[in-house]
Amino acid sequence: MAKLSTEELIEAFKELTLIELSEFVKQFEETFEVTAAAPVAVAAAGAPAGGGAAEEAEEEKSEFDVVLESVGDKKIQVIKEVRALTSLGLKEAKDLVDGAPKPVLEGVAKDVADKAKEALEGAGATVTLK
């Protein structure tokens, strides 16, 4: 296999969807036993003491869970969106939708979580970000 330059890798990543890129990062972290997240100790050290610490921690949250609360009246559309957002098969996506409330995506970036929430709500579901 030919070695890819940094520029070639960046161009390849630009062609991926955010969900595909998120899945890549997770697999990269597992394969090389590293984490792409900033160390928690650095964020905690910069937080002021007292009541403001909880507010700042909430603002700096970088990973979100997209939780399907209820399906609504367009169950098939919601199942299609769950399949589009995840790598689940039809049966697994249907089971997830039937078992609501359940997390659809876990530990994703805010922009990915917002897009997933919009897509699911567009299909008629009720979604929360945690």
Side-chain angles (χ1 to χ4, degrees):
M1 183 174 150
K3 186 175 179 181
L4 298 175
S5 70
T6 303
E7 291 81 23
E8 291 169 328
L9 285 171
I10 296 295
E11 289 303 314
F13 290 140
K14 285 181 181 178
E15 294 176 13
L16 297 176
T17 66
L18 291 175
I19 294 172
E20 291 170 333
L21 189 55
S22 174
E23 290 171 356
F24 168 79
V25 170
K26 286 180 186 175
Q27 187 166 355
F28 183 89
E29 290 174 342
E30 290 172 7
T31 301
F32 295 103
E33 297 178 2
V34 296
T35 181
V40 176
V42 173
E55 290 176 18
E56 189 166 318
E58 187 68 31
E59 291 175 17
E60 292 184 15
K61 186 174 180 181
S62 63
E63 291 187 350
F64 294 86
D65 294 343
V66 179
V67 180
L68 178 67
E69 296 295 335
S70 68
V71 179
D73 58 348
K74 299 178 182 175
K75 183 176 176 180
I76 294 173
Q77 296 302 99
V78 175
I79 292 171
K80 286 181 181 180
E81 286 301 329
V82 168
R83 290 193 68 204
L85 293 169
T86 64
S87 59
L88 296 176
L90 180 60
K91 181 181 180 339
E92 293 83 4
K94 181 182 178 301
D95 290 345
L96 187 146
V97 169
D98 287 340
K102 287 212 172 197
V104 177
L105 297 172
E106 295 178 324
V108 295
K110 176 137 179 74
D111 55 340
V112 175
D114 287 338
K115 287 183 181 185
K117 181 179 179 183
E118 286 177 28
L120 288 167
E121 286 178 343
T126 304
V127 181
T128 58
L129 299 181
K130 295 186 179 186

